[in-house]
């Protein structure tokens, strides 16, 4: 059965015919894109005109997100910016600590049990003049239940007195950089770093595994995808044990599951040999909607957490250099074995020294196992400089930049972490494209909201939260940004042969929009309403997902 | 470094990739001597777990006959530690293998947040043939230096790969890098397990000699640490016996300031690898003193403990008179 959809405009990403009016779909794939007359040549069809007033573009591809975002929405949203939840409710941003407290109090009032934990997320004190939040603030919500609120960055957590008490942190004599103490010698309730947060987080209702998706969370994540026009999304770092894989296959295999999830095996906790063996086994379990068989390596930490590895002269504020999350020899072993086995590796780097290590290591591995189509990708690569892009081009590497970061933390980078000069060239999309590096841009959801059109807006405008344009020369055009969130991202996932554009033979994946992103102003890009998606020919309206 | 409660003792083993951490763990596993060890590793990797000894495996935890357990903590050490302590049978001693790029001091600091545990010492393994080059390597040089800096005790491994003439200068360099942590010289990481964990098995003898017999450095027999005199301990049967250890047992006759004594015992001038024992504090309470290289702790002594102190050093480093002086009547008054 062939269906031909008509639309106000179809943006194809196929340069031979960039804009058409009709697309024919058969068995979940695209028979062709063109005029109705052209498509009639494929034979009998039914004409579906429900999108006659909509804009279709290729289903968007989120190349760096974490499906755990779905789980986080079960906690109370405490962010500064408005944000839409999986059910389409837009939670208003909280502009003061008092508002944060009020929202938590609202939740508190709905809980029957006076000892049940209360959990929140996405708070960010940089928007409250960096006024530190302490346990006494949260004690205003409750002194009988443990309360924990994770910061937007994921690096810091605030808890109340009860949570400290339950975790046995409410005592004198704690000496730890991650646990600031008040004048009373007791922890203030601010906890920095995962090893410090975890024992208290557990008391405050956070899951054992703060990074891995669960069953209802995966379904909610898929809802967010539909609402933002995403038809393929990555879950970029997972342990992927047998239970998780079975669950993932079961959930994504449901007839009405609306998105293709690509989940990458995280390098931690196993040897390079075990990593390769496991990844090969995972590839065999891959299905159309649950793609497995790639590796994610983490080279360093984060810039705002001062754990990224920077080249000389290091951090602007003089903080000591960050941490390696993998030994160079291990990275080399993984790269060599992955190249030999034909496994693609995505490597997280934030600092420029970490990027240097990746380039040196890949260059060495390629000498052993020459390969021109490996598509090894640097994820984030926030500080990549021009010389590094030139090397990346020679090494046939791809990049996926963290464009959203610029908006949320660009001012911090300018003022504190790397200083003005380097902040202006962070996530240097223009230079990447000028060096012909295949490029995607991403949200790293739940760190920032999943919404490729917003990510495109960030890369096009390079505005920081305070309203400054940071790095005028690194802006890209709307067309380039739209390419980055479709074919660009598809290329970094080695899926550009099946998704990323609307043309004959590809998956029938469309984002259905109310407005035309190629004609709106650059500033309006993020405000375009998404009607829903078509994924492998199945129609999903955001209004009833 | 004073704690009221004595949690489960933890030794952190750090050091760069390839320095011999896993070899050391394998060695300790084979010489657990009845201690219920919990070995926490980043990955099971090269851990030589004798399949015949495996009683059960549940995901990341392998239970061995004899009471030892191995856990792979991946990227969540605090969760694994929490699970470990919630088990019915608690380990006697926990050994955490830090990943090759981890900073063992940071692991030690987070350990201080879990009251069920007590950091006994940070042991950093250094490969004698590569440590200096690694410490000036472009990418990992500062990481290696920070690891050495965190050490309470250094295991200088693979000494057989180093020309004898270079050993002293390397030791001098390591001493500076590590703020004068005590050094154990080793080949294939064959370090007597008693130097690292099972001193708790030591039975402090009831009667103590009035005089200190001469050292008997050449007499190699399997003797327990608590021999009431200097004696060789834990000699491993290998061909590269670059070092031997001597222990000195002392029965303090006076009440003394336990903190001051512990601090003195951990001082670099004594070069002690370990010391453990019980002393009567100035307020007449019996205290446990633990020293691992540079690190010391004082906790309340267990019921029934008797005053007594065992100190271990490498044979050539043993400063017998200086140690004894700490326990003299003069010292008891002055410190
Ligand atoms: Zn991420």
């Amino acid at each position: 059965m062939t269906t031909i959809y008509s639309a106000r405009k179809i943006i194809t990403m196929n340069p031979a015919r960039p804009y058409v009016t009709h697309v024919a779909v058969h068995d979940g794939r695209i028979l062709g894109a063109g005029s109705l007359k052209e498509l009639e040549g494929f034979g009998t069809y039914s004409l579906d005109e429900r999108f006659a007033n909509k804009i279709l573009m290729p289903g968007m591809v989120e190349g760096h997100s974490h499906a755990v975002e779905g789980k986080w929405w079960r906690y109370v949203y405490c962010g500064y910016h408005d944000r839409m939840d999986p059910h389409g409710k837009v939670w208003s941003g909280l502009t003061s600590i008092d508002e944060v407290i009020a929202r938590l109090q609202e939740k508190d009032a709905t809980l029957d049990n006076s000892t049940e934990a209360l959990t929140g997320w996405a708070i960010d004190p940089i928007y409250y003049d960096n006024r530190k939040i302490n346990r006494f603030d949260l004690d205003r919500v409750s002194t009988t239940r443990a309360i924990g609120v994770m910061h937007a960055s994921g690096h810091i957590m605030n808890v109340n007195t009860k949570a400290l008490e339950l975790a046995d942190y409410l005592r004198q004599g704690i000496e730890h950089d991650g646990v600031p103490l008040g004048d009373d010698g007791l922890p203030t309730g601010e906890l920095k770093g995962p090893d410090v947060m975890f024992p208290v987080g557990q008391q405050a209702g956070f899951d054992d595994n703060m990074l891995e998706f669960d069953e209802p969370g995966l379904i909610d994540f898929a809802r967010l995808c539909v609402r933002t026009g995403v038809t393929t999304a990555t879950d970029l770092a997972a342990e992927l044990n047998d239970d998780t894989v079975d669950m993932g296959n079961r959930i994504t295999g449901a007839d009405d599951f609306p998105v293709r999830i690509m989940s990458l095996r995280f390098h931690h906790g196993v040897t390079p040999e075990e990593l390769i063996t496991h990844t090969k086994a995972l590839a065999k379990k891959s299905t159309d909607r649950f793609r497995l068989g790639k590796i994610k390596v983490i080279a360093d930490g984060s810039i705002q957490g001062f754990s990224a590895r920077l080249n000389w002269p290091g951090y602007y504020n003089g903080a000591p250099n960050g941490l390696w999350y993998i030994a160079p020899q291990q990275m080399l072993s993984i790269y060599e074995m992955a190249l030999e086995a034909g496994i693609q590796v995505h490597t997280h780097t934030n600092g420029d020294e970490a990027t240097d290590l990746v380039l040196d290591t890949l260059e060495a591995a390629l000498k052993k196992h020459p390969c021109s189509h490996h598509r090894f990708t640097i994820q984030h690569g926030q500080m990549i400089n021009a010389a590094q892009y030139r090397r990346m081009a020679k090494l046939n590497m791809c990049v996926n930049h963290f464009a959203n970061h610029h908006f949320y933390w660009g001012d911090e980078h300018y003022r504190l972490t790397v200083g003005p000069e380097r902040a202006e060239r962070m996530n240097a999309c223009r230079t990447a494209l000028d060096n012909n590096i295949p490029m995607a841009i991403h949200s790293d959801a739940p760190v920032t909201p999943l919404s490729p059109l917003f990510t495109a807006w960030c890369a096009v405008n390079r505005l920081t939260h305070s309203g400054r344009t940071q790095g005028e020369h690194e802006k890209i055009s709307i067309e380039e940004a739209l390419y980055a969130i479709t074919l660009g991202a598809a290329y970094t996932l080695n899926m550009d042969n099946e998704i990323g554009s609307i043309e004959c033979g590809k998956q029938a994946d469309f984002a259905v929009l109310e407005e035309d992103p190629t004609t709106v102003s650059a500033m309006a890009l993020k405000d375009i309403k998404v009607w829903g998606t078509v994924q492998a020919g199945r129609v999903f309206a955001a209004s009833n997902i | 470094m004073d704690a009221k409660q004595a949690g489960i003792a933890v030794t952190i083993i750090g050091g760069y990739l390839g320095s011999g951490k896993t070899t050391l763990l394998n060695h300790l596993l084979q010489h657990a001597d009845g201690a219920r060890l919990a070995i926490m590793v980043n990955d099971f990797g090269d851990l030589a777990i004798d399949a015949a000894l495996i009683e059960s495996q549940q995901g990341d935890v392998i239970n061995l006959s004899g009471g030892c357990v191995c856990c792979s903590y991946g990227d969540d050490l605090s969760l694994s530690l929490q699970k470990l302590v919630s088990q019915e049978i608690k380990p006697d001693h926990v050994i955490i293998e830090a990943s090759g790029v981890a900073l063992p001091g940071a692991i030690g600091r987070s350990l201080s947040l879990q009251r069920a545990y007590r950091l006994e010492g940070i042991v950093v393994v250094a490969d004698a043939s590569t440590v200096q080059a690694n410490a000036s390597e472009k990418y990992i040089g500062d990481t290696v230096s920070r690891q050495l800096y965190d050490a309470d005790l250094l295991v200088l491994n693979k000494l057989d790969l180093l020309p004898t003439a270079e050993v002293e200068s390397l030791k001098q360099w390591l001493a500076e890098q590590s703020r004068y942590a005590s050094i154990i010289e080793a080949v294939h990481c064959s370090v007597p397990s008693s130097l690292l964990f099972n001193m708790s098995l030591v039975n402090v003898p009831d009667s103590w000699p009035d005089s200190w017999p001469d050292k008997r450095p050449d007499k190699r027999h399997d003797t327990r640490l608590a021999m009431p005199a200097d004696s060789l301990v834990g000699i491993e049967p290998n061909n590269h016996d670059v070092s031997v250890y001597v222990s000195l047992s002392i029965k303090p006759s006076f009440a003394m300031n336990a903190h001051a004594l512990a601090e003195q015992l951990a001082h670099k001038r004594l070069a002690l690898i370990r010391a453990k024992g019980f002393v009567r504090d100035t307020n007449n309470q019996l205290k446990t003193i633990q020293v691992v290289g540079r690190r010391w702790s004082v906790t309340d002594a267990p019921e029934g403990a008797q005053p007594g102190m065992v100190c271990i050093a490498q044979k050539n480093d043993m400063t017998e008179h200086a140690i004894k002086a700490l326990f003299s009547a003069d010292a008891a008054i002055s410190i």
Side-chain angles (χ1 to χ4, degrees), chain B residues 159-170:
Chain B
L159 263 178
D160 52 329
L161 301 180
L162 200 70
T164 321
E166 292 174 24
V167 172
E168 275 316 306
S169 68
L170 177 62

Side-chain angles (χ1 to χ4, degrees), chain A residues 64 66 296 444:
Chain A
H64 186 153
H66 301 272
K296 163 89 175 285
D444 201 10

Side-chain angles (χ1 to χ4, degrees), chain B residues 88-107:
Chain B
E88 210 173 303
I89 302 170
K90 311 234 183 317
D92 297 325
H93 198 111
V94 177
I95 297 180
I96 298 172
E97 181 196 26
S99 90
V101 286
L103 304 180
I107 296 177

Side-chain angles (χ1 to χ4, degrees), chain A residues 64-66 236-237 296 348 380 442 444-445 447:
Chain A
H64 186 153
S65 55
H66 301 272
L236 213 70
K296 163 89 175 285
H348 153 127
H380 299 329
H442 68 264
D444 201 10
V447 178

Side-chain angles (χ1 to χ4, degrees), chain B residues 229-302:
Chain B
D230 304 354
S231 50
L232 295 173
V233 292
I235 301 300
E236 301 302 324
N238 69 52
N239 301 323
H240 304 277
D241 238 345
V242 291
S243 66
V244 285
Y245 312 93
V246 286
S247 73
L248 180 65
S249 298
I250 295 170
K251 184 168 187 178
S253 332
F254 308 94
M256 48 212 316
N257 182 330
H259 285 96
L261 177 63
E263 201 175 352
Q264 287 293 321
L265 287 169
H267 195 277
K268 65 180 182 188
R269 76 194 165 88
L270 296 189
L272 287 183
I273 294 169
R274 282 202 71 179
K276 182 176 178 175
F278 311 111
V279 297
R280 201 160 291 289
D281 205 357
T282 38
N283 60 6
N284 209 31
Q285 276 189 326
L286 203 60
K287 296 281 184 185
T288 306
I289 288 181
Q290 296 255 18
V291 174
V292 174
R294 290 195 290 110
R295 185 179 299 267
W296 56 269
S297 68
V298 175
T299 50
D300 292 338

Side-chain angles (χ1 to χ4, degrees), chain A residues 48-64:
Chain A
D48 190 325
E49 295 192 291
R50 74 176 100 183
F51 302 137
N53 287 316
K54 314 285 183 204
I55 308 292
L56 299 189
M57 66 176 279
M60 291 182 243
V61 181
E62 174 49 89
H64 186 153

